[in-house]
Amino acid sequence: VKFVYDFTEGNKELKDLLGGKGANLAEMTNLGLPVPPGFTITTEACKVYLDSGEEPAALRDEVSAHLAALEEKMGKRLGQADNPLLVSVRSGAKFSMPGMMDTVLNIGLSDTSVQGLAAQAGDERFAWDSYRRLIQMFGKTVLGVDGDLFEEALEKAKQAKKVTVDTELEAADLKKLVTTFKKIVKKEAGRDFPQDPREQMDLAIKAVFDSWNGERAKLYRRQERIPHDLGTAVNVCSMVFGNLGPDSGTGVAFTRDPASGHQGVYGDYLQNAQGEDVVAGIRNTVPLAELEQIDKKSYDQLMRIMETLENHYKDLCDIEFTIERGQLWMLQTRVGKRTAGAAFRIATQLVDQGLIDEAEALTRVNGAQLAQLMFPRFDENAKVEQVGRGIAASPGAAVGKAVFDSYTAVKWSRSGEKVILIRRETNPDDLDGMIAAEGILTSRGGKTSHAAVVARGMGKTCVCGAEELEVDTKRRRMTVPGGHVVEEGDVISIDGSTGKVYLGEVPVVPSPVVEYFEGRMHAGAEDADELVEAVHRIMAFADRKRRLRVRANADNAEDALRARRFGAQGIGLCRTEHMFLGDRRELVERLILADTEAEREESLKELLPLQKQDFVELFEAMDGLPVTVRLLDPPLHEFLPDITELSVRVALAESRQEPHENELRLLQAVHRLHEQNPMLGLRGVRLGLVIPGLFTMQVRAIAEAAAARRAAKGDPRAEIMIPLVGTVQELEIVREEADKVIAEVEAASGTNLKLSIGTMIELPRAALTAGQIAEAAEFFSFGTNDLTQTVWGFSRDDVEASFFTAYLEKGIFGVSPFETIDKDGVGSLVAAAAKAGRATRPDLKLGVCGEHGGDPESVHFFHEVGLDYVSCSPFRIPVARLEAGRAAV
Ligand code: PEP
Ligand code: MG
């Protein structure tokens, strides 16, 4: 195998091997754009190193060969005393992990070559500044020295000189600083800063490999569901310098606004600075547009390159560039992260520009983004007290208590508080706090600062660079213009869509996207919201493309109507036990505890009209669309009085010598019916089989409701579903009784009700014998909640709160199997049962109604295994429609 690729050898398709950065550097090189020469060490080399603890044997020689070629091209040797070649060593994984991985710049500088660099650049200050940066970065990331020690030394040097910014330090000051830095390294790392440039490079490469398994990187991968075994590539790139004076600088740019999607000039530029200064948000940048005044030639060239890149990648790109004495260099590009709203707008804009087609547009958005757009926003009409405004870095409306450090953010959020993390600027150490917070507010840094980039990636509300806010993290407070002080614990509100910061809690209103789905806002209207317009079009693309139908889990008319507005094509699961909670619970309790036939009949008779009315309403709301009504499936205990409470009542009555006959009788019954594992007990079809008349009452209610709707000229399409079936015999018995009742109602009403009867597949045995079960079922609906519970042997009510965190931390699974379908286990049973069922009955209708029906990744799986529909809660329907469309691309 080949472990090292020159930039001229790769291309953008090789992200697995070269990482995102390396693949795109190669792509730009091959497009003829000005990229400083260099080479990429593959993720394969990293994987060998991570697996064995040693770099692959061939790596050293390959690096030597590529370095020699680079030196040849540049006409100078790495660290050459009089004219040194300097390189950067940067990580670059397949998926970008902003600020998570390590980078070392200026490799090749030493006590001797620093003189050479000074002579070559004609700038002694620059050379010493570069050298101190190398020792600082190398010390921190390669040798593990606490970075604050360097920062403190730098701060002291500035104080001693009575200056405030780094650039005011002169060569002599920096020279002294280098000596201090070397001492810090020696003391903290127990070794000298290496003077041999090749040793510097080799150690830096190894450090990048190691950084893959750093805590920050691991946490980020878990968050973003990036697999842990991909490894990172390492890019070795010849240095260009943005800190060679006012005709140099460095910046970042987007080909479109990553927040709105609008085309224009978006980015930040920092004169006389090196790359990391911008990303870290350490000094304040100027808007990119100002570069036109500073350096028109480079600006024009940059605009042309951005156009080339957008047309080539057919997408929003973000770019890092450096200008070295008037010469523009491209340091990085990639398809840029964007806000959810921008993703929808950009996708439709690109369709309109003819760059991509509808199907491609669907790949540019996803259900998680749509879900995010459905969050509420601040009420525009609310009375507010605005105290500042920063950059709208990541949209959303966040309200919470002010906290000023990551630790408190985590602690408070664990105890159920909503918090806003306020920092001057964030760095990778703040990641935990950012995850815990509702939103992030910083007083420094631009749209590309760490806070902004990471928050956008997480879909978290962020306002950054709110400069008029004085953040004092030491005293845990923030002073706002006018002198008011926000202390830790005070409630504030931040709007990531406008950048506004408010005191107190601002009320929130529904998102325009929800208003649109609800039919209260229309696409195509004169004043239509741009975002709504884009969502409307993308949803139409998805609906045209998808094969899966989307139904709702709903058990009342209100939810059903909402589901219908949101695009539901029927109800896939009406849980009738939900119709028996509240006032009616007592009726069910009486039914269950009935001692005599007469008592039982009595309660059934009372329940029947109530049930029938429920169904009439539901069928009316869903007129013309299928409604799957599931017969009662409660774990029994949910309908019985609490055993402890009841015992206490009985004991009290006894001690007070009060009459308690009824309580005692009830207690005895509850004892008799008490189960250790109610979830595996008398529920679902089992209940229907042991309580005579229960299921037939429900079937009668369904049939009579359907007949009533027919009489009212409606078009009811009811389907009767039997829960928790484990064997075809259970189903056959229920079916026989149900068919009898349906025939009676049909005869009485003189209509053919066309009711179909099917079952849930939610037990392993049902899945394994699906071929037999299909003999007695006209449809299957996979109950993946119970199926996950029983296949894994995980109690669905307990495990997520008990040991799942540990499982997630250990990487046993990346996400709870109750959230995203476990394809290998539960999923393979679903696939096999679907196949076996269809073998018995080719027109068997197949759906899923567990929580997974609204989960993006799971929707793709259900599409792949050939189900007919997914059913999910009303609010997730748009997401399911979109993902079903995406799955069909
Ligand atoms: C299921 O088990 O997946 C299901 C939909 O039924 P319930 O959640 O009501 O048990
Ligand atoms: Mg179930």
Side-chain angles (χ1 to χ4, degrees):
V1 282
K2 178 173 160 68
F3 288 118
V4 184
Y5 285 68
D6 192 84
F7 288 169
T8 55
E9 295 176 303
N11 65 62
K12 72 176 162 52
E13 308 308 327
L14 296 180
K15 291 198 181 63
D16 284 329
L17 193 63
L18 303 179
K21 187 176 293 186
N24 287 323
L25 280 169
E27 189 78 11
M28 285 201 292
T29 301
N30 293 325
L31 279 173
L33 303 184
V35 176
F39 54 85
T40 303
I41 299 166
T42 66
T43 54
E44 286 304 321
C46 177
K47 281 193 261 190
V48 172
Y49 172 79
L50 293 176
D51 289 347
S52 66
E54 275 172 55
E55 287 141 323
L59 184 61
R60 200 183 154 79
D61 288 346
E62 275 192 59
V63 168
S64 299
H66 281 268
L67 179 59
L70 181 63
E71 290 174 335
E72 172 85 2
K73 198 180 289 180
M74 304 298 289
K76 45 191 176 182
R77 285 192 330 279
L78 183 69
Q80 186 179 319
D82 56 347
N83 183 19
L85 167 67
L86 304 185
V87 297
S88 62
V89 173
R90 292 169 183 268
S91 61
K94 178 176 179 186
F95 302 104
S96 104
M97 299 165 66
M100 295 301 116
M101 305 279 289
D102 291 337
T103 288
V104 186
L105 304 180
N106 303 340
I107 284 191
L109 280 178
S110 62
D111 294 351
T112 48
S113 67
V114 66
Q115 317 272 6
L117 181 68
Q120 178 203 40
D123 185 340
E124 217 185 331
R125 184 196 174 281
F126 154 74
W128 285 97
D129 189 43
S130 302
Y131 192 24
R132 74 94 189 154
R133 283 169 192 262
L134 169 63
I135 302 170
Q136 184 170 354
M137 275 194 247
F138 193 94
K140 183 176 172 198
T141 64
V142 180
L143 300 176
V145 177
D146 179 357
D148 286 346
L149 296 173
F150 298 113
E151 288 296 343
E152 280 160 20
L154 178 62
E155 207 50 49
K156 250 190 223 151
K158 283 195 276 186
Q159 275 166 11
K161 183 103 200 210
K162 297 204 168 52
V163 298
T164 50
V165 285
D166 309 5
T167 41
E168 290 172 298
L169 293 177
E170 289 165 36
D173 308 316
L174 293 161
K175 214 166 176 169
K176 264 194 258 165
L177 203 54
V178 161
T179 309
T180 314
F181 279 11
K182 284 201 288 192
K183 278 191 195 138
I184 293 175
V185 167
K186 176 89 195 207
K187 175 153 178 277
E188 299 293 319
R191 62 159 294 170
D192 283 316
F193 171 76
Q195 291 291 317
D196 172 5
R198 179 62 198 263
E199 188 187 1
Q200 291 172 4
M201 189 169 98
D202 289 339
L203 287 172
I205 291 169
K206 230 165 89 165
V208 171
F209 285 163
D210 284 327
S211 72
W212 177 258
N213 280 333
E215 285 312 310
R216 276 177 354 222
K218 283 201 279 194
L219 179 64
Y220 187 84
R221 289 200 294 273
R222 263 202 303 278
Q223 270 284 311
E224 297 294 315
R225 299 190 192 172
I226 297 171
H228 291 293
D229 58 1
L230 299 177
T232 180
V234 185
N235 299 293
V236 177
C237 188
S238 44
M239 288 293 302
V240 290
F241 293 98
N243 53 341
L244 274 173
D247 58 351
S248 303
T250 185
V252 294
F254 298 92
T255 58
R256 288 162 198 261
D257 184 352
S260 73
H262 290 155
Q263 275 179 297
V265 184
Y266 295 96
D268 304 298
Y269 183 69
L270 195 53
Q271 227 170 330
N272 196 12
Q274 216 166 1
E276 308 310 287
D277 299 345
V278 182
V279 179
I282 286 168
R283 268 195 279 148
N284 284 324
T285 54
V286 299
L288 183 60
E290 287 182 28
L291 177 61
E292 190 171 13
Q293 266 81 57
I294 300 170
D295 179 350
K296 175 129 174 66
K297 182 178 135 278
S298 298
Y299 177 81
D300 290 343
Q301 191 189 359
L302 182 65
M303 292 301 127
R304 282 195 303 276
I305 288 175
M306 280 172 32
E307 198 180 316
T308 304
L309 286 173
E310 251 221 2
N311 289 330
H312 183 72
Y313 283 85
K314 300 186 194 319
D315 206 345
L316 173 152
C317 296
D318 70 24
I319 293 156
E320 282 179 26
F321 66 92
T322 280
I323 298 173
E324 180 181 292
R325 292 191 168 151
Q327 160 74 47
L328 175 68
W329 294 99
M330 305 302 291
L331 299 190
Q332 167 172 338
T333 192
R334 65 188 167 191
V335 166
K337 294 196 175 188
R338 65 207 68 187
T339 63
F344 279 78
R345 291 185 200 180
I346 292 171
T348 52
Q349 286 161 4
L350 293 171
V351 170
D352 292 339
Q353 284 175 250
L355 284 172
I356 61 173
D357 61 13
E358 288 187 9
E360 178 67 24
L362 286 172
T363 67
R364 301 295 179 83
V365 295
N366 62 50
Q369 289 166 334
L370 181 58
Q372 209 192 320
L373 292 174
M374 292 173 71
F375 289 137
R377 323 183 148 181
F378 286 133
D379 182 356
E380 279 169 33
N381 301 317
K383 255 187 70 188
V384 294
E385 193 177 345
Q386 187 183 332
V387 290
R389 180 163 191 169
I391 295 161
S394 180
V399 180
K401 293 190 173 166
V403 295
F404 294 87
D405 64 292
S406 188
Y407 175 79
T408 311
V410 172
K411 201 171 87 186
W412 287 20
S413 92
R414 286 223 173 110
S415 64
E417 302 271 18
K418 288 187 168 32
V419 300
I420 306 283
L421 178 63
I422 304 174
R423 305 283 291 161
R424 229 170 303 190
E425 66 230 353
T426 62
N427 65 51
D429 298 332
D430 292 315
L431 195 59
D432 284 335
M434 295 174 76
I435 292 169
E438 298 296 304
I440 297 131
L441 171 62
T442 69
S443 57
R444 291 163 71 174
K447 246 190 177 133
T448 43
S449 63
H450 177 268
V453 171
V454 174
R456 270 202 298 279
M458 288 180 192
K460 203 144 270 200
T461 303
C462 176
V463 172
C464 64
E467 287 176 34
E468 70 256 46
L469 306 178
E470 264 176 57
V471 175
D472 184 345
T473 47
K474 285 222 171 73
R475 293 162 72 192
R476 298 162 183 259
R477 59 201 279 183
M478 161 173 91
T479 312
V480 308
H484 180 86
V485 175
V486 175
E487 305 274 357
E488 183 178 80
D490 292 352
V491 174
I492 65 162
S493 304
I494 61 170
D495 188 334
S497 313
T498 61
K500 292 180 184 170
V501 180
Y502 307 99
L503 288 187
E505 180 180 344
V506 179
V508 288
V509 293
S511 86
V513 172
V514 170
E515 294 296 278
Y516 156 72
F517 283 124
E518 288 279 17
R520 290 193 288 263
M521 189 188 277
H522 297 279
E526 192 125 329
D527 59 344
D529 187 298
E530 261 179 65
L531 173 62
V532 161
E533 209 66 48
V535 169
H536 172 76
R537 291 178 62 195
I538 296 276
M539 292 309 289
F541 298 166
D543 288 341
R544 276 201 281 277
K545 194 85 197 162
R546 70 190 159 93
R547 185 188 56 70
L548 273 179
R549 301 175 74 78
V550 176
R551 296 197 194 179
N553 291 357
D555 33 61
N556 58 58
E558 191 192 325
D559 283 358
L561 286 171
R562 161 166 297 129
R564 210 173 170 150
R565 290 193 296 274
F566 281 22
Q569 295 161 294
I571 286 182
L573 174 63
C574 163
R575 292 179 163 106
T576 54
E577 57 276 14
H578 288 176
M579 298 169 158
F580 293 134
L581 298 171
D583 302 346
R584 304 188 195 168
R585 213 198 78 151
E586 231 172 284
L587 281 174
V588 183
E589 182 181 308
R590 257 168 48 209
L591 173 71
I592 295 170
L593 298 174
D595 285 332
T596 66
E597 189 113 343
E599 266 176 28
R600 190 178 313 118
E601 299 262 294
E602 188 57 33
S603 27
L604 284 172
K605 223 163 71 206
E606 279 183 71
L607 281 167
L608 178 66
L610 299 175
Q611 271 279 266
K612 181 176 159 187
Q613 187 53 33
D614 293 334
F615 296 138
V616 168
E617 284 167 22
L618 205 57
F619 297 161
E620 185 176 359
M622 278 285 156
D623 197 63
L625 296 176
V627 176
T628 306
V629 180
R630 181 177 74 186
L631 304 189
L632 204 61
D633 174 26
L636 206 50
H637 67 290
E638 283 183 19
F639 283 93
L640 293 176
D642 183 78
I643 197 162
T644 322
E645 234 170 72
L646 194 58
S647 311
V648 172
R649 267 203 339 247
V650 169
L652 269 178
E654 229 159 60
S655 70
R656 293 185 190 140
Q657 297 186 326
E658 286 164 9
H660 57 278
E661 221 120 289
N662 283 341
E663 272 91 349
L664 196 58
R665 213 182 61 131
L666 193 57
L667 183 60
Q668 280 160 351
V670 172
H671 268 300
R672 183 158 33 81
L673 292 167
H674 179 73
E675 295 175 320
Q676 294 297 345
N677 292 305
M679 275 300 216
L680 299 177
L682 186 54
R683 56 178 283 223
V685 69
R686 305 163 191 173
L687 195 65
L689 290 171
V690 302
I691 300 188
L694 174 60
F695 274 12
T696 46
M697 179 278 288
Q698 288 197 291
V699 171
R700 185 174 297 280
I702 294 166
E704 288 184 358
R709 286 297 305 149
R710 277 286 169 80
K713 300 272 178 295
D715 181 12
R717 304 201 176 171
E719 303 170 336
I720 297 169
M721 180 153 79
I722 318 299
L724 218 74
V725 163
T727 160
V728 69
Q729 280 87 351
E730 292 167 320
L731 191 58
E732 281 169 353
I733 298 172
V734 173
R735 241 203 116 95
E736 217 176 282
E737 293 176 353
D739 282 340
K740 230 185 287 166
V741 175
I742 293 168
E744 277 172 36
V745 179
E746 285 184 335
S749 62
T751 39
N752 175 355
L753 295 172
K754 298 204 184 103
L755 294 173
S756 61
I757 298 180
T759 184
M760 296 199 60
I761 301 291
E762 51 183 344
L763 290 175
R765 192 179 190 287
L768 293 166
T769 61
Q772 294 169 16
I773 290 180
E775 304 269 359
E778 284 153 75
F779 62 87
F780 284 174
S781 180
F782 289 94
T784 45
N785 303 334
D786 274 309
L787 197 56
T788 301
Q789 164 163 269
T790 48
V791 167
W792 279 90
F794 283 155
S795 163
R796 60 194 264 195
D797 298 320
D798 301 312
V799 286
E800 286 186 285
S802 70
F803 61 86
F804 265 27
T805 324
Y807 266 44
L808 292 166
E809 268 164 17
K810 292 187 194 307
I812 294 171
F813 30 66
V815 51
S816 158
F818 286 107
E819 190 180 324
T820 295
I821 190 93
D822 150 39
K823 293 186 192 128
D824 297 342
V826 179
S828 75
L829 267 183
V830 170
K835 198 163 161 225
R838 284 231 172 98
T840 301
R841 189 190 286 261
D843 63 346
L844 183 74
K845 221 191 304 178
L846 297 172
V848 58
C849 61
E851 281 304 299
H852 305 87
D855 168 68
E857 208 178 312
S858 311
V859 169
H860 287 248
F861 177 78
F862 298 132
H863 169 87
E864 274 153 34
V865 302
L867 300 195
D868 297 307
Y869 68 86
V870 294
S871 189
C872 58
S873 67
F875 267 102
R876 292 171 92 184
I877 283 168
V879 170
R881 281 165 59 199
L882 178 61
E883 289 295 349
R886 283 166 40 72
V889 170

